[in-house]
Amino acid sequence: MLIDDAHRYIALRRALGFKLEKAARHLDAFTRHAVANGDSHIRNATALAWTAAVSSTPGGRYQRLQEIADFARFLHAEDAAHEIPQHRRHYRPCVRPAPYIYTSDELARMLHAAANLRRQKPSPLRQHVHAMLIGLLAATGLRVSEALNLRLGDLLPDGMLHIRQTKFNKSRLVPMHPSVSAELDAYLRVRATVAGVDDHVFLTVGGRPMGLGAVHAAFHVVLKKAGIAPDRPRRPRIHDLRHTFATRALARCAMRREDVARDFVALSTYLGHGHIRYTYWYLEATPDLMGDIAAAAEMLAAEVIV
C-alpha cells in the first residue's frame, strides 16, 4: 500500500541521517490522496494534479514534485509499474535575496539598543538576552535556530560551543573569541539569578525557551531604535548577521593561491554548511568582495604567466 510504502521510505532515509520533516508530511498527504483516487502505484498525472492543488507557488509545486519523484524512484526499483514524475521540467530557479551586510558602527548601535530594551515583567532578562543573542550571532555566524537550541551543557571549557544535530544533521564545535566568552559568562551570571529549571541558554518570560517569533519581534524593535536602514524597502534580517560574519571572514582570507582553498574549507566547516557551494554563495551575494577576490585572482594568474 502506498501509504505504508511512504512510511517505509521515510524510515529508511532517516536511518541514513536525513530529517525529512516536510517531505514526510508531504508524502503522507500525497499517498493518502493517491489511494483515495484509486491508485495502487504512483502515477504521473496524479502527482501533477496533487502538487498543483496543494501549492500556489512554482517553487512549492517543484519541491513537492521532486519529493514524489525521489520516492517514486525508490519504489520503481522494486516495481517498474510506478511512474517517475518528470519534475525537472517544472524547475524554477530560486532567487535568494541579497543579504544586508551590517557595518561595525551599526552592530555597535544594535547592541546598545538591545541592552536598552524596555524590561518586561516578570522577567528582567529581556535586555540581557537580546544583547547577548545579537552579539553571539554577529561574533560566531551561528544560525538563529542553533543559538536558540543551545543548552548549558553545550557550553564547553575554553570558550567552545557544541552545536548539535543542526540543519544538515551535523554536529560541530565552534570556538568563540575570549571577549565573547567573557560576555557570555557575564550573561550566565545574570541568567542564574532568575532562571528556573530549563537549561536552554536563552530564555523568555517565565523561564521558557526563547522562540523565533519573540526573537524576530524584538529584533525589529532593535533595528528601529538603532536606526538601521530606516528607508530600505526590505528590512534587514537577523539572519543577515550570519551573512555579515561570513563576508567579513572571507574578506580576511589570505589571497595566496595555496591558502584560498584552505580558508574556504575552514569557513565552510565553521559555518556548518552541507556543501562548500553554499560558502561560495557569499561571494555572489557581495559584489565588492567578489571584485576584490577576482582582482587577487588576476594578480595570481599574472604571477604564473611571468
Side-chain angles (χ1 to χ4, degrees):
M1 187 176 182
L2 283 176
I3 297 173
D4 293 334
D5 287 335
H7 294 166
R8 177 167 60 93
Y9 166 75
I10 292 295
L12 176 61
R13 295 287 304 279
R14 283 177 171 167
L16 295 174
F18 296 92
K19 293 184 178 180
L20 301 180
E21 294 177 0
K22 288 185 179 179
R25 295 196 301 271
H26 295 164
L27 290 179
D28 184 69
F30 167 70
T31 52
R32 291 182 186 280
H33 169 81
V35 170
N37 195 51
D39 294 342
S40 59
H41 292 74
I42 294 179
R43 301 298 179 201
N44 184 57
T46 303
L48 290 173
W50 179 79
T51 53
V54 299
S55 181
S56 60
T57 65
R61 291 192 290 273
Y62 174 76
Q63 178 185 355
R64 286 165 175 78
L65 203 57
Q66 182 181 38
E67 292 164 350
I68 296 171
D70 291 340
F71 174 47
R73 289 190 193 92
F74 170 78
L75 294 181
H76 186 82
E78 301 175 344
D79 184 346
H82 290 284
E83 298 175 1
I84 303 174
Q86 300 300 312
H87 68 286
R88 293 195 179 279
R89 67 179 61 175
H90 302 278
Y91 172 73
R92 296 291 186 278
C94 178
V95 179
R96 300 177 69 174
Y100 185 88
I101 306 302
Y102 298 101
T103 66
S104 298
D105 177 67
E106 287 175 331
L107 289 174
R109 282 154 43 199
M110 290 163 61
L111 289 172
H112 181 266
N116 287 277
L117 286 170
R118 183 171 57 85
R119 294 179 64 178
Q120 287 181 332
K121 294 181 180 181
S123 173
L125 270 181
R126 185 174 186 237
Q127 300 168 334
H128 303 282
V129 164
H130 293 289
M132 186 66 243
L133 180 60
I134 290 173
L136 185 66
L137 295 176
T140 63
L142 292 181
R143 301 179 179 94
V144 181
S145 60
E146 293 172 344
L148 296 183
N149 287 331
L150 280 173
R151 307 293 186 98
L152 296 178
D154 297 328
L155 310 182
L156 306 181
D158 300 322
M160 196 73 68
L161 299 176
H162 187 189
I163 309 301
R164 302 175 185 270
Q165 299 296 312
T166 59
K167 185 174 181 179
F168 296 100
N169 207 31
K170 291 183 175 182
S171 295
R172 69 188 191 281
L173 296 177
V174 173
M176 294 183 291
H177 189 274
S179 62
V180 181
S181 296
E183 290 294 331
L184 185 56
D185 288 341
Y187 162 76
L188 292 175
R189 287 194 293 271
V190 176
R191 179 193 177 282
T193 65
V194 297
V197 297
D198 193 283
D199 67 342
H200 281 83
V201 172
F202 295 104
L203 301 175
T204 186
V205 176
R208 296 188 298 272
M210 179 73 66
L212 277 173
V215 169
H216 289 305
F219 188 72
H220 291 155
V221 174
V222 168
L223 289 178
K224 184 175 181 180
K225 288 173 69 70
I228 307 298
D231 300 324
R232 195 171 189 258
R234 182 177 177 274
R235 285 187 297 187
R237 307 166 301 162
I238 193 168
H239 189 67
D240 289 330
L241 292 169
R242 177 171 166 87
H243 290 282
T244 299
F245 173 87
T247 299
R248 296 193 185 286
L250 287 174
R252 291 193 297 268
C253 280
M255 293 303 176
R256 291 184 302 169
R257 180 174 43 200
E258 62 269 24
D259 293 336
V260 170
R262 181 200 63 198
D263 289 341
F264 265 80
V265 171
L267 180 61
S268 183
T269 302
Y270 185 92
L271 292 172
H273 284 159
H275 194 283
I276 199 169
R277 66 174 176 269
Y278 302 125
T279 312
Y280 281 117
W281 178 80
Y282 290 109
L283 293 180
E284 297 179 30
T286 315
D288 291 343
L289 182 59
M290 175 72 89
D292 290 343
I293 292 185
E298 289 180 4
M299 292 177 61
L300 290 175
E303 290 175 7
V304 172
I305 294 174
V306 173

